Structure formats: C-alpha cells, structure tokens
Amino acid sequence: MSPGRGGPQPDAITALAADAYVYGSPLVRQLSAVQACLQEGCGMLAPAAFNDFAHAAGPAAPGTRVPFAPADLVDALAQLDLSGGPVRLHVPDTGGAYYVLQFVDAWGNAFAYLGPRATGTGEGDWMIVPPGWAGTVPDVVSGVIDAPTSVVSVVGRLACHGPEDMPRVRALQQELTLTHLGDRAHRTGLPATEAGVPGELRFFEELRVWMADFPPAAADRAYQDRFQPLGLLEEGLSPYVSAGPALVGALGRGLALGRLRVEEAARRPALTADGPQGAWRTVPHLRDYNLDHFGVGTLGPPEWTVPDREASYLLRAVAARRGRWLPHGYETLYAHTSRDSRGRPLDGSHRYVLRLAPPPPVRAFWSLTVYDSPGGHLVVNAAGRYAIGDRTPGLVHGTDGSLALHLSAQRPADPAQEANWLPAPAGAFRPVLRLHLPDQSLLDGSYAVPPLERLGA
C-alpha cells in the first residue's frame, strides 16, 4: 500500500485520499456523534446507553448553549445497536399533536420516519431489524423498519406549546420506549480503533474500522474498493501505526484537499442561508443523497434523490458538515435570513415587520424564532416569548387572514403590534422560520416568504 515504485505515486494517493474524505466523512461524523451521545451526552441531552432514549427537560431557552435550538420542540434521542437482534419501539398516542421520529443509519442516511405525515398520531409498536434479518414478525407490531446498518440513530422531536404543555410532553416521554428483542447481547460501544495511530491519521483509521463494521449500500462498494491503496480495506492491525513519511504526507494533503472541497461546496449559492435583498433561503433538497434505502415514511425517486451517485457523496458530506440529523425538506423546511428587504443586516435596535399574506401553507404548524448572531442562541427578553407562529394564542390577523409579525428589541406601543411581537436581541440577530409538513408550494418556491421590512427612518 506504500506509494513508490510499483504502486500509486504520492499525487495519486493525495487525490484518492481527498475522494475518501468526501465519501467517508459522513460515516466518521455520524459515528463520532453516536459515541459522544453514549459517553458524554448531546446538546441538551444526557448520555444514554444503546437502546435507550435520552429526553430533553423542555424546549430550548436562553442559556441553552446549542446553536439554533428550537424553542417549541422537545428533543428525544436514542442510539440503537441491532447487533444482538431486533429492537421494539413503542410509540404513544399523541392525540393529534405533531411529533416525528427520524431514523438515520451509520452513513447519515435518513431512511424512515414515524409521525403524522407518515403513520398518523395513534399508538403503535414497531420492530427495527438489522440488515439481513429473517426472523418472525409478531402479529402485534404495527410494522417493520429495516435498518441498513446495525447502528441507528432515532431522532425525535415532540411539539410543545409552552411551559403549560410540558406535563403532556413528559407523559409521552415516559411512554416512548425501546425493548431489546434479540437472543444475544448487543454491543455497549462502537468497534474500537487502534490506539497507536498518529493524530493526523485518526480520520483514516476510524474510516477503516467503521467502514468494515458498517458496510455501505451494495451500489457504493465498487467505489469504496478504489481506496485499497490508502489502506482503508486492510483488516486486523492498522496499517497507519507504522505508516512511512511519504504516505503520511500524501494522506495529510488529501485530507486537507477533501475538507476544502466540502467547504467550497457548502458555500455555493444553492446551499447558503442568505440571498440578495433579504430573501429567505431554503434548502429543501439537502438530504436527497439517500439513493438506496426508502423505508416507512420516506419519499423516493425521482424528486427526492440525486441522479448522480458520485455527486450524492459530496452532498452527503456537505449535509453532515452543516448539521446532524436534520430531516428531509418534505418533513420540515427551514428558512433563514440575516438581512432586510433592502439588504441591510438585521439589528434589534430597529423595528421590523414580516407581512404574511397569506401565512405559510403547512399541514402541521409553522413558527418563527430569532437568535443572536453569530452565536445562534436565544436571548432573554422581558416578555418570555421565544417563538411565534400559528399556534400562538392571541395573534391579531387582518380581515383577509393576513398576519403582520413585529420583530424588535423594544416592545411596540400599539396593542395589535404587541400581540404579534417577537422580541429580538438588541444587536445583530438571525430569524429562523420552521415549516413542519410544508405544502408543495413552499417546496417548489411558488409560495415565497416575503423579506423583513425595516420600519421608521
């Protein structure tokens, strides 16, 4: 595997290593996150063992140090290990309230959804089974979810209407349970990597070990075989413990080149958050890289997939870099902006109005939250209001059903404006509009959220 006479030259190794980073960084990022959740916790969630849920104590609030955390959803998260056999998931009846459980495999593919869009809001039991499982399905289960890999993340979001709604949410948390059904003990941690690998080669060591334990889709394996000269297909002892300086240098340059390729792709106009003159930017197709596993609740080809497989690897790497476990656009659409209708940066010392005529068409609910910039955190305000949307009581609508939302650090003097007021930080801020179960007009752009207008001189 060493570059030199009779083998690939350093430049070829560097180019191949860059391809390996683009291809493999989602796997490394995903499983590194799984490992952190098991050992340290994740954001607002405490650590939890495999096949057990961790639940947030409530929605995000000022002091929550998780960037852009939602103020009207409560997180639930479980890491599943199916190496010992299937796991049964019990979902309670939410009484029509919105929730979603998103299933993500080791490569970062969202391959199944449970919730009102896909399966309704009634009580149910689901079997999550490992790859190649051929056992008997009990009659009592609502359905089977075939996992593409033996480790899976279950990402839950439960709608919460405010502090008075938390008793209902806590009751749902108690009923959201996992039961190991396998006849063997499941793993308690991820496959271990070699301890003696130099730090600059840790990425390749993690990719080597985890790629072997969590094989990709069959259609990806021929592409993966190209990485044999890098040592990524070696079994047993790590080839990176005693790697020569030429290989270390070539791999290091390839790692830097791969990272640069992902960074540049993330900055392309179609994937950036801000548009000209305050336009709200949405990226409904950032998660369309899953080409092989379409389970319960997913929408497949042609609209929701990337036609070119190699292009899907780059999109997957960009999505993994930009944020873990975000859903497909057809489940939740996010809109962002940081400028007003004349292209000026948003600042809470000014007053803004967002005129929604009509309000966004969704089948679940929509909400608007503002965060400080660049941190992306909620800032305490005297009104104690951190999100506003179609579930907010007391909003004042126009006679035609339109809605004018007011954003500023200062409380409006007019009572109608105060009823529709979302407090903003005193300085730079960024609003995020979350659109749950968006209508097709939001996905195809025929409904466009208007830019924020700055009021006054």
Side-chain angles (χ1 to χ4, degrees):
M1 59 165 267
S2 298
R5 189 166 56 190
Q9 297 303 303
D11 285 351
I13 292 290
T14 294
L16 202 56
D19 289 346
Y21 178 83
V22 172
Y23 172 80
S25 60
L27 175 72
V28 173
R29 285 181 184 269
Q30 167 70 6
L31 292 179
S32 296
V34 169
Q35 195 158 256
C37 291
L38 297 173
Q39 299 172 355
E40 306 155 21
C42 180
M44 299 165 61
L45 299 166
F50 271 131
N51 301 336
D52 197 9
F53 271 106
H55 291 289
T64 301
R65 307 316 291 172
V66 179
F68 300 106
D72 50 10
L73 294 172
V74 180
D75 291 339
L77 181 63
Q79 310 301 335
L80 307 187
D81 183 275
L82 307 173
S83 60
V87 167
R88 183 173 65 207
L89 165 67
H90 178 75
V91 179
D93 186 343
T94 67
Y98 178 80
Y99 81 96
V100 64
L101 295 177
Q102 174 185 349
F103 295 77
V104 182
D105 72 9
W107 290 85
N109 297 302
F111 65 91
Y113 291 91
L114 302 181
R117 177 186 59 82
T119 55
T121 60
E123 184 177 15
D125 287 274
W126 296 82
M127 272 186 75
I128 302 101
V129 304
W133 185 79
T136 302
V137 178
D139 293 336
V140 294
V141 302
S142 306
V144 174
I145 296 173
D146 292 293
T149 55
S150 60
V151 164
V152 167
S153 297
V154 183
V155 185
R157 304 171 184 94
L158 309 176
C160 180
H161 303 295
E164 67 283 355
D165 195 30
M166 274 307 298
R168 179 190 66 84
V169 174
R170 290 192 190 99
L172 295 177
Q173 291 174 333
Q174 293 295 316
E175 294 184 63
L176 191 61
T177 59
L178 292 160
T179 305
H180 175 60
L181 300 179
D183 54 5
R184 311 181 302 282
H186 59 76
R187 283 179 291 220
T188 57
L190 293 176
T193 55
E194 197 85 32
V197 175
E200 62 269 28
L201 299 183
R202 290 303 305 171
F203 169 82
F204 294 100
E205 173 64 5
E206 289 170 341
L207 182 57
R208 179 187 75 90
V209 172
W210 291 339
M211 208 163 61
D213 273 84
F214 306 101
D220 289 339
R221 291 177 190 173
Y223 186 86
Q224 186 173 287
D225 287 345
R226 301 167 60 242
F227 303 135
Q228 191 278 332
L230 305 179
L232 287 174
L233 306 184
E234 297 281 335
E235 298 179 359
L237 291 175
S238 172
Y240 305 118
V241 172
S242 56
L247 179 62
V248 172
L251 291 177
R253 290 190 296 275
L255 193 63
L257 185 61
R259 285 175 176 153
L260 180 61
R261 192 181 300 169
V262 174
E263 293 287 333
E264 288 177 342
R267 288 195 295 266
R268 290 173 188 164
L271 296 178
T272 56
D274 297 321
Q277 302 299 310
W280 296 73
R281 296 301 294 267
T282 63
V283 191
H285 296 286
L286 184 61
R287 302 287 155 176
D288 292 2
Y289 47 80
N290 176 17
L291 306 182
D292 303 289
H293 306 291
F294 302 103
V296 176
T298 57
L299 301 181
E303 184 181 359
W304 295 99
T305 54
V306 176
D308 179 83
R309 185 167 289 272
E310 194 164 339
S312 77
Y313 303 147
L314 182 57
L315 183 63
R316 183 175 65 183
V318 169
R321 173 197 170 278
R322 292 192 58 168
R324 290 193 305 270
W325 305 325
L326 293 177
H328 282 89
Y330 52 74
E331 181 67 35
T332 300
L333 190 63
Y334 301 89
H336 309 248
T337 188
S338 64
R339 296 181 179 274
D340 67 17
S341 58
R342 292 176 56 185
R344 296 169 295 196
L346 298 175
D347 190 293
S349 61
H350 300 289
R351 296 181 299 122
Y352 301 90
V353 63
L354 176 60
R355 304 184 193 277
L356 300 172
V362 295
R363 287 172 289 132
F365 71 96
W366 62 266
S367 67
L368 180 68
T369 309
V370 295
Y371 303 90
D372 67 4
S373 183
H377 301 117
L378 296 169
V379 175
V380 68
N381 65 72
R385 176 181 279 183
Y386 300 101
I388 194 169
D390 58 1
R391 301 176 304 167
T392 303
L395 291 181
V396 177
H397 289 77
T399 56
D400 60 353
S402 63
L403 191 61
L405 302 181
H406 292 267
L407 284 68
S408 63
Q410 294 298 319
R411 185 186 299 269
D414 179 87
Q417 292 185 11
E418 183 182 12
N420 293 5
W421 175 48
L422 180 60
F429 70 90
R430 177 182 290 274
V432 176
L433 186 61
R434 292 178 171 88
L435 304 150
H436 300 281
L437 307 190
D439 185 80
Q440 180 61 31
S441 61
L442 281 162
L443 297 172
D444 64 24
S446 56
Y447 178 100
V449 181
L452 286 163
E453 302 170 30
R454 193 168 105 184
L455 301 177

